[in-house]
Amino acid sequence: MNTTLTPDVLIIGGGPAGLTAAARLAPRVSGQVLVLDREADAGGIPRHSDHPGYGMRDLKRVTSGPRYARQLVERAVAAGAEIRTRATVTGWSGERTVEVTSPGGRFEVAARAVVLATGARERPRAARRVPGDRPHGVYTTGQLQNIVHLHHGRVGERAVVVGGELVSWSAVLTLREAGCATALMTTPYRRSESYAAFTVPGRTVLRVPVATRTRVTRIIGRGRVGAVEIEHLDTGARRTVDCDTVIFTGDWIPDHELARTAGIELDPGTLGPRVDPALRTSHPGVFAAGNVLHPVDTADVAALDGAHVADSVLRWLAADGRPSDGTGVPITVDPPLRWIAPSLLRPDSPAPARDRLLLWTDEFVLVPRVTVRQDGRVVARRTLPWPAAPGRVLRIPSSVLRRVDRHGGEVRVSVT
C-alpha cells in the first residue's frame, strides 16, 4: 500500500447525504473532494427504489428513486467532486486517514476532513431471531429491490411483508412489479406505522390486508418458503398463512462499523455516531451525516443533512483544524422515545439541519406534548400539531433547546 491520496475532504458513502455534501463542497474548497462508495454505482438505496416519492424537500420536485440517484451523481460530478465506486474503506491508519481496497489495488486516503455518510440497513431475519426452517425466498426490502429493479429477476407469487413502515409499502410496490401478490402485511402495533396516505390506498387499491398486533413466529418450508406462522400479540392465537416469499422490512440499524473501529463515540439510542447540531463526531475533523445518524429518515432529509454538514466542514477547514469549543451537554430521551438526533449540544453549536430535532417513538401519541428538562427544571414545553408514530421520524423545532444551559447538566426530552 504505497499510494496515498490527500484530498481536502473525504466522503465515505455515495448516497444522498454524501453526494449532496460533495456537490456543495467541491466548488468551495481549494483541494479535492473525494467520494468513496463500495457499490458498483453511486446513488445509494434510491438506485433500486423504482417508484416516485424522491426529491421533494431537496430538489423541490418529485421523481423516481433511480432518476433521483442519477441527478445527485450528476450534480456532484458537475460541481467538481471525484467519485470512486467499488472502493471499500476497510479501516483507519490515522486520525483522518483510511485504508481502501478497490479492483485497482489498495491505497490510503489522508484528508483534512472526513464525512461518514454510510447510511443504514434493515435487520435481516437472523438479527430478528425469527425461528423456523431456512428455505429460499426470505429477503429484506433492499435485497428484493436489488433483484427486481437492478437485475430484473423474479421472486415468488405470494408474499408476506413483515413491517408496516413506509419502506414496507415500497416493498409491496416492488413485489407487484415482479408479479408477486402481497397476501398479508404484519405489524406489532395497533395501527400501521406508515402515513394514512400510504396505508389507505395500500389497503383499498392494492388490496393488501394489514394484520395489526401480530408477529411472525415461524417460517415454514423445505427448499422454498411454504408458509409463515402468525401470532396475535394480545390473544396469543396463531394461524398459518400460505406464501412462497417473506420480506422483512424496516427495523433499521446504521452502518456504523467505521465509526466503531475508529473509536468514535456512539449514541446508545441510534447506535450511530453521537453528533452535535453541526454534525461533528467525538473525533476532531470527522463528521457524520444522513441515515448513519438517524435510522431511518427519507432520502431527501438525508440529502439536506449532507448540505448542512458541508457548511460545518467548511468552518472546520477555515479554522485550520481548530477543535470545537467544549465537550458538550448530552441530550437524552425518556420512553416511549427511543432516540434523538443530534444528541449533543456544544457551546458553539449552530442550529441543526432544518432547525429540527429528530426523534423515534415506540408508541403512538396522537397529540404529543414535549417537555425538555435540565438539572431538574423544565426549560421548554411544546404541544405538537402532528402525531408521534412508530416507524417514522418525529420532528420537533430545535427552539425547544433555546433556554438550555450549554455548560449545564444532561438534557432530557419526554413526550406524553
Side-chain angles (χ1 to χ4, degrees):
M1 190 185 298
N2 54 13
T3 300
T4 301
L5 306 181
T6 56
D8 267 4
V9 183
L10 168 64
I11 299 172
I12 304 173
L19 292 171
T20 302
R24 193 174 181 93
L25 283 165
R28 302 167 68 184
V29 299
S30 57
Q32 181 191 34
V33 173
L34 174 63
V35 180
L36 299 179
D37 195 277
R38 63 191 177 192
E39 300 291 336
D41 298 291
I45 289 176
R47 291 178 304 122
H48 48 73
S49 297
D50 197 5
H51 56 76
Y54 288 87
M56 182 168 60
R57 293 181 180 89
D58 58 335
L59 301 184
K60 307 302 181 185
R61 68 178 73 97
V62 177
T63 185
S64 70
R67 180 174 294 180
Y68 176 72
R70 288 194 299 271
Q71 289 177 345
L72 294 185
V73 170
E74 290 165 0
R75 287 181 174 218
V77 171
E82 180 182 350
I83 301 174
R84 293 197 181 193
T85 56
R86 294 190 175 93
T88 301
V89 178
T90 56
W92 301 79
S93 55
E95 192 174 46
R96 290 181 293 277
T97 302
V98 300
E99 300 170 348
V100 186
T101 299
S102 74
R106 300 172 64 205
F107 58 93
E108 286 188 335
V109 180
R112 295 176 61 198
V114 176
V115 178
L116 300 176
T118 47
R121 62 182 184 272
E122 294 166 300
R123 294 182 194 269
R125 172 196 177 175
R128 304 185 199 212
R129 299 182 179 179
V130 177
D133 299 321
R134 295 290 184 266
H136 294 295
V138 181
Y139 312 96
T140 62
T141 310
Q143 292 170 328
L144 169 71
Q145 292 177 334
N146 191 290
I147 291 169
V148 175
H149 296 312
L150 293 187
H151 300 285
H152 308 290
R154 295 184 62 82
V155 283
E157 297 181 353
R158 182 177 166 87
V160 168
V161 173
V162 182
E165 301 181 23
L166 291 173
V167 70
S168 310
W169 292 105
S170 178
V172 169
L173 292 174
T174 301
L175 288 166
R176 189 183 190 205
E177 181 172 328
C180 182
T182 301
L184 186 70
M185 179 181 288
T186 74
T187 173
Y189 300 104
R190 298 191 182 281
R191 65 186 79 174
S192 177
E193 303 99 281
S194 183
Y195 299 102
F198 293 88
T199 304
V200 173
R203 283 174 157 170
T204 57
V205 179
L206 300 178
R207 299 183 180 279
V208 175
V210 179
T212 57
R213 296 294 295 153
T214 59
R215 67 184 181 110
V216 174
T217 54
R218 186 162 63 105
I219 294 178
I220 304 166
R222 299 293 182 183
R224 178 80 192 188
V225 173
V228 294
E229 184 181 72
I230 306 291
E231 179 186 65
H232 195 281
L233 295 175
D234 296 329
T235 66
R238 296 191 176 188
R239 62 187 172 112
T240 300
V241 178
D242 293 336
C243 63
D244 59 11
T245 304
V246 180
I247 312 297
F248 284 95
T249 69
D251 195 7
W252 300 91
I253 184 170
D255 273 318
H256 61 192
E257 286 79 5
L258 285 176
R260 183 172 49 79
T261 57
I264 290 171
E265 182 183 2
L266 300 183
D267 183 275
T270 65
L271 302 181
R274 169 166 273 174
V275 296
D276 68 356
L279 303 184
R280 296 173 290 197
T281 72
S282 60
H283 280 25
V286 179
F287 303 78
N291 281 327
V292 69
L293 299 177
H294 36 74
V296 64
D297 210 336
T298 58
D300 53 0
V301 170
L304 293 173
D305 253 17
H308 185 73
V309 79
D311 293 335
S312 298
V313 170
L314 290 171
R315 286 192 291 270
W316 163 264
L317 295 175
D320 199 25
R322 187 172 63 251
S324 61
D325 179 17
T327 56
V329 174
I331 308 172
T332 59
V333 294
D334 293 327
L337 297 175
R338 187 188 303 180
W339 54 254
I340 186 169
S343 60
L344 187 70
L345 191 63
R346 289 191 172 101
D348 63 345
S349 292
R354 301 176 64 232
D355 294 319
R356 294 289 186 270
L357 300 171
L358 308 181
L359 302 94
W360 196 268
T361 179
D362 289 320
E363 294 179 12
F364 283 95
V365 183
L366 185 60
V367 183
R369 294 173 178 85
V370 179
T371 302
V372 181
R373 292 180 174 85
Q374 184 183 32
D375 297 329
R377 64 187 179 92
V378 174
V379 297
R381 281 196 174 98
R382 181 72 60 87
T383 299
L384 304 179
W386 50 82
R392 59 182 190 253
V393 171
L394 172 66
R395 310 176 206 282
I396 65 174
S398 62
S399 58
V400 298
L401 301 180
R402 187 173 296 147
R403 294 173 54 202
V404 165
D405 179 0
R406 300 189 179 205
H407 299 278
E410 178 185 83
V411 175
R412 297 196 70 84
V413 180
S414 61
V415 166
T416 57

